[in-house]
Amino acid sequence: MRKTFAVTARDTSSAARTGKIRTPHGDIETPAFAPVASQGTVKALLHEQVENLGAQLILVNAYHLYLRPGLETIAESGGIHDFISWPKPILSDSGGFQIYSLTPLVKVTPEGVKFSSHLDGTKIFLRPEDVVDIQQSLGTDIAMALDYFLPFPSTKARLKEAVKLTSLWARRSKDRFLEKPARQQLWGITQGSVFWDLRQQSIEDLLAIEFDGYALGGLGIGEPKAELMETLEKADGLLPRDRPRYLMGMGYVEDIVEAIDRGIDLFDCVLPTRNARNGTLFSSRGKIVIKNQKYARDKRPIDAECGCYTCRHFSRAYLRHLYEREEISSAVLNTIHNLFFYLDIFHKIRQSIALDSYRELKRQLLNQLKESEP
Ligand SMILES: [Zn+2]
């Protein structure tokens, strides 16, 4: 098995580690946060801005791009990197989550998943092999195998079935993936919610298949926090140390720092970008809802400790005005701040692990986040 990941430092008081994921478009230093660019763009920002904010990779959605603009259009441009003109690593989500959560009339059989397009109702049937083909055609750096995802709460019997099917599909995904020599990586997604016997089975099944990385799917969707953290802790003991671990869709900093403490390397979430467009801004002293009247004449930046372009130039009063007037620049400036806030935290996290002081940073971050709105 080729080596596409190396641990570079370990924190001795927790399971936190730094590492490097090697991809054809450069290295990703972990722990890393992938801004979501489902349609090939981080909403409200230019790629140049996303890069300057310190993003090491972006996440696109195979399902959305397969529907529109379609694989042929992207292939004609020479693949996803050339089509969207983003030079750094790209991870593609298989689209499983979107299929199960967005589309009507989903029917899952051992062969694959049948559903209607959420756009125009067209009937679509995708096998795990098709999902590998789609992502190989896109030419992303990291592709995800199709999993079977169930909402929370689901009965244990159904979750057991989902784990079984996910393992079967993972095997078929890997077989298909190996048919073409590729520099792309294929990662597997484990399921089983917070039932440890199911999650353990899922992890063991996928380890036997061997993937470049392992994702924990179906978490952060409403299960009790303590059970989620216990699952991560146990998974840390079972997952190989020399492969990256990806916790899909988890976005709150409070949860991210706990997950990193338990050995997670990669995250993605729409939270910083979506909240920015909704006028909810993160700061080192709690959240700011910029539309509130109390900011109407507030000359302070969002966060006095933040070094982003928005905080270096603009007051809360001005940002509130832009938001109230529904100016496009409101979404731009707010997204710059929120994404900087996230990426800067990840930068600090990597530094603290390298210095073997992760727990100290974690305590500090959690204390700050508990403070009320400034
Ligand atoms: Zn800022």
Side-chain angles (χ1 to χ4, degrees), residues 302-303 306-312 336-338 340-341:
I302 302 164
D303 186 343
C306 178
C308 86
Y309 171 77
T310 304
C311 290
R312 280 187 287 114
I336 285 176
H337 168 76
N338 271 2
F340 182 92
F341 179 78

Side-chain angles (χ1 to χ4, degrees), residues 211-362:
F211 287 95
D212 294 296
Y214 296 92
L216 297 153
L219 293 172
I221 51 173
E223 66 285 339
K225 207 47 67 65
E227 290 177 32
L228 163 65
M229 291 306 160
E230 203 188 316
T231 303
L232 296 184
E233 237 163 79
K234 288 178 173 166
D236 173 52
L238 194 56
L239 289 164
R241 303 242 165 244
D242 60 352
R243 293 277 182 275
R245 299 101 172 253
Y246 171 22
L247 183 55
M248 304 182 82
M250 285 272 285
Y252 288 99
V253 173
E254 293 88 331
D255 300 335
I256 288 172
V257 294
E258 293 296 354
I260 289 173
D261 194 288
R262 291 158 177 80
I264 300 292
D265 306 297
L266 183 63
F267 299 85
D268 77 281
C269 194
V270 294
L271 199 71
T273 44
R274 182 177 288 164
N275 272 5
R277 299 194 302 281
N278 296 335
T280 301
L281 306 171
F282 296 102
S283 91
S284 55
R285 298 280 184 275
K287 266 186 267 173
I288 289 182
V289 178
I290 201 68
K291 71 173 177 208
N292 287 349
Q293 177 62 34
K294 66 176 173 183
Y295 300 124
R297 298 177 70 174
D298 192 333
K299 285 188 280 197
R300 294 173 298 168
I302 302 164
D303 186 343
E305 286 174 28
C306 178
C308 86
Y309 171 77
T310 304
C311 290
R312 280 187 287 114
H313 292 88
F314 307 107
S315 66
R316 296 176 184 182
Y318 178 58
L319 294 171
R320 178 178 183 276
H321 163 71
L322 295 178
Y323 182 82
E324 286 295 303
R325 299 281 63 79
E326 297 179 20
E327 287 292 337
I328 290 169
S329 57
S330 167
V332 176
L333 293 173
N334 290 349
T335 306
I336 285 176
H337 168 76
N338 271 2
L339 214 45
F340 182 92
F341 179 78
Y342 265 67
L343 295 169
D344 187 50
I345 285 179
F346 273 79
H347 180 70
K348 287 177 181 147
I349 286 172
R350 289 193 296 272
Q351 273 183 334
S352 76
I353 296 171
L355 296 170
D356 201 15
S357 59
Y358 178 66
R359 283 267 164 99
E360 207 179 299
L361 177 74
K362 184 179 107 172

